[in-house]
Amino acid sequence: MPTTFRTSRTPRAPRTAEAPPPLPRTRRRGRSAAVAALLASCLLAAAHPALADDGPGKDKPKEPKPPAAMSTVGGTQLGKPGTQVRLKAGAPPLPKGLTARSWMVSDAESGEVLAAHNAHWRLPPASTLKMLFADTLLPKFRKDQTHKVELSDLAGVGEGSSLVGVKEKYTYSVHDLWLGVFLRSGNDAVHVLSAMNGGKPQTVRDMQAHADELNARDTHVVSPDGYDEKGQVSSAYDLTLFARSGLRKADFREYASTARAKFPGEVKKDKKTKKAKREHFEIQNTNRLLTGDTDLDPYEGIAGVKNGSTTQAGATFTGVAERGDRVLLVTVMNPAKNEHNEVYRETAKLFDWGFKAADAVEPVGTLVAPGPDGVVEAEANEKDGVAGGGRNSHQQAAAVPAGGDGAGGGGWTAAGIAGGSLALLAAAAYAVHRRWPLPDMVRRRSRP
């Protein structure tokens, strides 16, 4: 079912050139001719306003262009600039109005890349990089572990950062902090968890090592929260790898699909009992395809994952959604169209297209498995003419070692899984399931 959008906005009147400001009066007769000439010039400009595309564009910042050649991880076609898609006869065309610098649509389970646009263009990722942060650190701490925040834990939180409201000298559980990361994209919560991990430099090293393990070769980590930093980049391809890997962790799925939660606040005395009591306040997920907005409905079947927005990155988003027996991942980076919720609108268009076109396109690439054998296998498949993994694609999706879900121990459960298969990779054994255990609450979610 195509997504629909609500709007209560009244149409705007067409823009017209503003009239020139009134000229100051002068008593000097000698300037009357000059004034008349200047007035005529202004009126002429008003009658024929300069358009954004007029002239050489010296006053207009140039849109950056993708490199002529990019990484070919996942397939050589993904390394080409521009839109890559192989439509079969009768396949629906790609949606109109896509303005993002980079985007990608892929099958979350098979790893087939259905279509892409500058998939390996290295761009600032904003808070979508928190998917890598979470995938790296989630296994390290128990959910019930607590930490008393010191002032040093919050050092280095960038100006203008999104915050959940973590305060020094207060104690928080790891569960609380992850809610702050996923729902409010709280850089304060990220920095506290980084401090618990040994500090920012150690966390950056851990994240980079994990990105390398996942074959996310476009990614260079400088700050764990995705804040604009020189040299910090990722790509639509890599962000999709992070989401896919994270979603195989039960805790990651839980946090990514949580729309609202209570977060610990200050300790205050109860007026009646006079006893100190920890207050809580509600936080809502900033993923608007999950929660909706005044001009946007929640997307049917959405289950996460992460959004971001900074000055350099623009708006970025990676989402996962399920419809019928198919689970898709869509990543969109930096739409040029500067409209409210545009990154979600373009994501929804790509989801709609992907669900319709999944069986009517030839894959243009594949999401590689972790480790060196992931790239080797993908290259071998491409030489055999199986761009997206084809008939063996369900055996390429690998993200966590067998015997654990990476979220504090315990293997995969049968609950929520309709069927499954196991595959052994040369480097290690990985648990692979044809049906993803997306939260039932998300599968049954209906629009308001």
Side-chain angles (χ1 to χ4, degrees), residues 74 146 262 268 352 406:
T146 59
K262 295 291 185 180
K268 294 184 178 181
D352 286 345

Side-chain angles (χ1 to χ4, degrees), residues 23-340:
L23 294 172
R25 294 182 178 182
T26 175
R27 295 181 178 179
R28 298 183 182 182
R29 295 179 180 178
R31 292 187 178 181
S32 60
V35 169
L38 179 59
L39 178 60
S41 173
C42 291
L43 291 174
L44 181 62
H48 301 283
L51 301 177
D53 292 333
D54 283 352
K58 292 182 180 180
D59 298 330
K60 174 186 174 183
K62 293 183 179 180
E63 278 289 314
K65 294 183 178 180
M70 294 172 280
S71 168
T72 58
V73 171
T76 56
Q77 194 168 354
L78 295 179
K80 299 177 182 179
T83 302
Q84 310 300 321
V85 65
R86 296 174 181 172
L87 300 175
K88 296 180 183 178
L94 285 168
K96 296 180 180 179
L98 299 177
T99 67
R101 291 181 182 176
S102 176
W103 54 260
M104 194 170 79
V105 183
S106 56
D107 188 300
E109 295 171 329
S110 71
E112 294 176 345
V113 178
L114 306 182
H117 180 75
N118 302 323
H120 281 291
W121 192 358
R122 304 179 75 191
L123 298 168
S127 287
T128 45
L129 192 65
K130 289 184 173 80
M131 294 186 296
L132 174 62
F133 172 77
D135 193 36
T136 304
L137 263 64
L138 265 170
K140 296 193 175 189
F141 309 112
R142 300 188 321 274
K143 295 172 69 172
D144 60 353
Q145 184 174 338
T146 59
H147 177 78
K148 185 176 181 179
V149 177
E150 301 293 337
L151 182 60
S152 59
D153 297 344
L154 300 172
V157 175
E159 182 179 354
S161 289
S162 53
L163 306 171
V164 67
V166 174
K167 296 183 179 296
E168 63 173 305
K169 297 182 180 179
Y170 278 88
T171 298
Y172 299 85
S173 70
V174 167
H175 177 69
D176 294 331
L177 294 171
W178 282 122
L179 286 172
V181 171
F182 276 85
L183 272 67
R184 295 302 302 168
S185 201
N187 288 3
D188 46 358
V190 169
H191 278 253
V192 172
L193 287 164
S194 297
M196 294 173 63
N197 188 54
K200 175 180 173 181
Q202 181 60 51
T203 300
V204 167
R205 287 192 294 270
D206 290 346
M207 290 172 64
Q208 189 65 61
H210 189 44
D212 295 343
E213 178 190 13
L214 294 175
N215 291 312
R217 299 181 181 179
D218 301 322
T219 298
H220 179 64
V221 183
V222 180
S223 177
D225 52 21
Y227 193 81
D228 284 340
E229 297 283 358
K230 184 177 180 180
Q232 180 150 273
V233 292
S234 191
S235 67
Y237 185 90
D238 285 10
L239 293 175
T240 304
L241 289 181
F242 302 151
R244 191 180 188 220
S245 177
L247 286 165
R248 293 194 177 272
K249 296 175 172 61
D251 286 350
F252 191 106
R253 294 194 302 273
E254 175 192 342
Y255 293 127
S257 63
T258 299
R260 294 172 180 82
K262 295 291 185 180
F263 193 81
E266 297 180 351
V267 175
K268 294 184 178 181
K269 284 187 177 181
D270 187 277
K271 293 182 179 180
K272 294 182 179 180
T273 64
K274 304 299 181 181
K275 293 182 179 179
K277 183 179 179 181
R278 187 80 177 265
E279 295 185 337
H280 288 74
F281 57 91
E282 184 176 277
I283 56 176
Q284 177 176 291
N285 201 313
T286 54
N287 173 359
R288 297 309 180 198
L289 286 189
L290 183 68
T291 61
D293 205 352
T294 55
D295 60 341
L296 185 72
D297 280 341
Y299 190 83
E300 184 180 1
I302 194 73
V305 173
K306 191 70 189 74
N307 58 300
S309 178
T310 63
T311 302
Q312 295 180 19
T316 60
F317 180 67
T318 297
V320 61
E322 180 182 30
R323 189 169 297 175
D325 292 332
R326 194 173 298 277
V327 182
L328 296 183
L329 282 162
V330 172
T331 294
V332 174
M333 301 186 75
N334 201 347
K337 189 175 180 180
N338 188 23
E339 295 289 342
H340 186 239

Side-chain angles (χ1 to χ4, degrees), residues 353-367:
W353 175 84
F355 285 120
K356 293 177 182 177
D359 294 321
V361 296
E362 292 288 346
V364 295
T366 186
L367 299 175

Side-chain angles (χ1 to χ4, degrees), residues 415-439:
I417 304 173
S421 61
L422 294 178
L424 287 179
L425 300 183
Y430 285 87
V432 181
H433 290 274
R434 190 70 187 120
R435 297 295 304 124
W436 277 29
L438 292 180

